[in-house]
Amino acid sequence: METSAFGSLNYFALLIYLAAIMGVGVYFAKRQKSADDYFKAGGRIPGWAAGFSVFATTLSSITFMSIPAKAYTDDWTFLIGQYVAIAILPIVFWFYIPFFRKLNLTSVYEYLERRFDVKMRLFGSMSFMLFHIGRIAIVTYLTALALMPFIDMNPLTIVFLIGVLCIIYTFLGGIEGVIWTDVIQGVMLSAAAILIFVVICFNVDGGIVEIFSMSAQADKYFPAEQFSWSWTESTIPVLMIGFFFASLQQFTASQDVVQRYIVTDNIEETKKALITNAKLVACVPIFFFAVGSALFAYYSQQPQLLPDNFNTGGILPFYIISQMPAGVAGLIIAAIFAASQSSISSSLNSIAACFTSDIYGKINKQTTPENNLKVGRIITVTAGLLGVAASTYLIMSNESEIWDAFNSLLGLMGGPMTGLFMLGIFFRTANAGSALAGVAASIAAVLWVRSATDLNFFFYGVIGTLMVVIVGVLTAPLFKNNKDSEIAEELTVGKRARV
C-alpha cells in the first residue's frame, strides 16, 4: 500500500517532541562531573521518577504497537503477563535490593564477582552488553519497519531520528537525563494509549459498550481453550510461568532496570520506585489491549476502510495516520518514537556502566572518576553507533522474522544470568566452581532444547535459570573451600544485608 502524507502539522509535532528530549539532555549535561553522576545520578532521583523510568524502559515501541495488534487479531491473554511482573516485585524488594544497595554497585554484575569470581562477573556483563547492542538494533529496525508503510519518511531517516538523537541526549545527560526523558516518554505512552481509545470510542457506533460487547461475542478476552496446558503454544499457564522468569530476569539480573534501584537517595525511595512501576503496569497496559478491541469494533463496522490483504500487525499506526487529526497523529507517532528511545537510551547508559565498571575498571586500576566519565561517554556513542549500523544493515538487507529469533535467544542469555543471581543470593553452599558448572549446563540445555524440540520459547528462560541453580547446588561440594563459606555468609539471604 502507498504511504500516507505525514503532513506539516504532524512533522511539527514530532519535531517539537524531539527538540524537547534534546533539551533535557542538554540541561542535565552540566551536572555530569564524574562517573557517579553519569551512572548513578549522585542519588538525586526521586523514587516516583525512577519508577516511571523502569516502566518506560521495559515498554518498547514494538510492545506499544504489538499489544493492540495482538488484541485486534487474537485475544487479551498476554495481559496476564503484566500482572505476573507485578507479583515478583515483593521478592525483588525483600531479597535482592538490600544486596544491590549495600554493595553500592555501579554494575549489578559486581555482585557476581564478590559472591563467586571475576569469570562470572565478566560472563554476566558481556552477555548483557552484547544482548543490548542487538536489542538497540532490533527495536530501531522494527520501529522503522512498522512505520514505513504509513508515513512518507525514508526508513534511514527514521533510524536517524530514533537512534542518533538518542545517542546524543544520552551522551550529554547521563542516567539523570535518561531517567527524566523516560518520565516524559512514559507520560506520552500512557496518554497516547488513553487518547486513542477515547477517540475510537466516539467513532464506533454504540461507543464503549458496543466495543466490549463485540469483543465478548467474538470471545476475544480470555478464551476457555487458553487455560489449557501446552508445551508448544503460549497458553495462559505457559505465559504465567514464562513471564515470571522473564520478569525475574529483568528486575534482578538486567543492568538497565537494576540501575534504577541505586539512583535514589535511600531504600525508601527505591521502594517508591517499585510501587510507582507496579501502579503503571497495573493500569496502562489495559488501555493498550482496549485499543486493540476498539480497533476490532471500528473496522468490523467499517471494513471498507482497510486495504485488501492488509497486514494487521500495523493496524495501530495505520489508524493513527489515516483517522487521527493532523497534529494529534504527529504527537502519537512521537509517542511511538518515545517508546523506542526510552528503551534504547537505557540500554546505552547501562552498557556504558557495565563496560566502565566491569572491563575498563578491571584493566586500569588507577582510573579516576573523571576518566571513567570520559570512557562511559565514549562507550555510549560506540554502542549506539553499532546498534544504528546494525539496524541500517537489517533495513538494507530486508531481514524478516528476526524478532521471534531474537526473543528466543533471551532464554539462552537471560536464563543463566537470572540463575546466577538466584544461586548466589539463596544458596549458601554454592561457589565459583559450581556456578561455572551451572552456567555451562544451562547454555548446553537451552541450545539442545532450541534445536531438538518444539518447546515454546517461554520455557527457555525457565530451563536456563533452573539448570544453573540445580547444577550449581548439586556440584557445590566438589569445589568447596573455606573462603567460599565466609563470602556466602555475607552475601546470601541467610544473613540478610542491612542498608
Side-chain angles (χ1 to χ4, degrees), residues 3 30 34 82 90 122 136 139 145 153 159 171 188 204 211 215 239 248 250 284 294 334 355 388 403 421 433 471 497:
T3 58
K30 62 180 181 293
S34 68
Q82 308 300 318
L122 292 176
I136 291 168
V139 168
L145 200 67
M153 191 181 292
V159 169
F171 171 87
M188 289 184 67
V204 170
I211 288 171
S215 290
L239 285 174
L248 202 61
Q250 274 193 321
V284 176
F355 184 91
V388 168
W403 183 244
F421 282 94
V471 174

Side-chain angles (χ1 to χ4, degrees), residues 225-242:
E225 62 269 18
Q226 289 287 359
F227 287 89
S228 63
W229 178 261
S230 173
W231 292 105
T232 57
E233 302 297 324
S234 299
T235 59
I236 287 176
V238 175
L239 285 174
M240 293 179 70
I241 295 172

Side-chain angles (χ1 to χ4, degrees), residues 195-208 211 298 319:
L195 175 62
I196 294 168
F197 178 69
V198 170
V199 169
I200 301 175
C201 285
F202 281 104
N203 290 330
V204 170
D205 292 338
I208 188 170
I211 288 171
Y298 179 75
Y319 177 83

